Amino acid sequence: DDARAKDIAVHDNKIFVTGYTNDKTNVTTDKKTLAFFLHLDADGNPSLANGEKVANLDIITKYDNSVANAIILGDDKIIYLAGETTHKQKQNAVLFKYTYNTSTSEWQRDTDFSGKARLEGSATKKYSGEDLALQSDKNIILTGTSVDGENKEMFVARFSVDGTLENQFGQD
C-alpha cells in the first residue's frame, strides 16, 4: 500500500512506527493523507490497538490531511506523536497521546489530550509539528515550522502534561 514511515521507536521489544498513508476510500479527485500509528511485536508482526484499522495501521485522525512526523516514548506506558492536520483549510501543528490499557492490552489514543494539544493555524498561517521531546517535569516540547505567506520560521512551544499550550513559554 501507499504508506510512508516518518519515525520509529523501540521499547520492551515493541516497535512503534508513525507516518501517513493515502486514503484509498476517498473517491474525490483530492488527495487525502491520514496519519497512522503502527505497533509491532519484536518479530515485526502487527500488534493492533483498539480503533479503526486500515491495512494494519491505526488511523489517528480523519481530518482533511494529516501526518504524524515524530514519536517519543514517555514514562508509565505513554507514547506521544507530533504532526500536523489540515481541517477547514487551516493547517495545525498537533500532538497525539497514546496510553497503554493494561486490562485490554491495547494502546488507546487519549482524545481529551489530542483535542487541545495543538497550535491553531489560520487562513494565512500554517503550522507543522516536526519533532518533540519530554522535559523531566513531563511537559512536552514541540518544534516545527510556521509558514505565513512566503515567510517560513521555526517555532518551539511547550505543552503541559494535560495538553494545554503554555503561552508564557519563551517569554522574558
Side-chain angles (χ1 to χ4, degrees), residues 4 9 14 17 21 33 38 41 78 98-99 123-124 127 129 152:
R4 290 178 178 87
K14 302 280 190 260
V17 180
T21 184
T33 59
L38 171 67
D41 64 19
I78 296 174
Y98 278 81
T99 55
T124 59
Y127 289 99
K152 285 187 177 183

Side-chain angles (χ1 to χ4, degrees), residues 54-113:
V54 176
N56 295 330
L57 304 174
D58 300 332
I59 301 302
I60 298 170
T61 178
K62 294 187 179 199
Y63 286 122
D64 297 341
N65 284 294
S66 58
V67 176
N69 290 316
I71 186 169
I72 192 165
L73 306 174
D75 295 337
D76 305 320
K77 299 194 181 229
I78 296 174
I79 293 175
Y80 296 97
L81 309 175
E84 62 195 62
T85 61
T86 302
H87 184 59
K88 297 182 180 178
Q89 299 179 346
K90 295 180 181 177
Q91 184 174 314
N92 310 308
V94 293
L95 292 171
F96 298 101
K97 178 181 176 183
Y98 278 81
T99 55
Y100 188 74
N101 183 329
T102 55
S103 62
T104 63
S105 299
E106 295 177 331
W107 288 93
Q108 297 176 328
R109 186 165 49 96
D110 182 337
T111 54
D112 290 335
F113 176 92

Side-chain angles (χ1 to χ4, degrees), residues 80-83 92-96 113-120 127 129 131-135 137-144 155-169:
Y80 296 97
L81 309 175
N92 310 308
V94 293
L95 292 171
F96 298 101
F113 176 92
S114 300
K116 62 182 155 184
R118 69 182 63 242
L119 288 176
E120 192 79 29
Y127 289 99
D131 208 354
L132 70 162
L134 288 177
Q135 291 183 301
D137 60 4
K138 298 188 181 184
N139 286 329
I140 305 114
I141 305 297
L142 175 66
T143 187
F155 71 83
V156 179
R158 182 169 62 195
F159 293 84
S160 65
V161 173
D162 72 354
T164 304
L165 175 64
E166 293 188 3
N167 291 318
Q168 297 304 313
F169 179 72

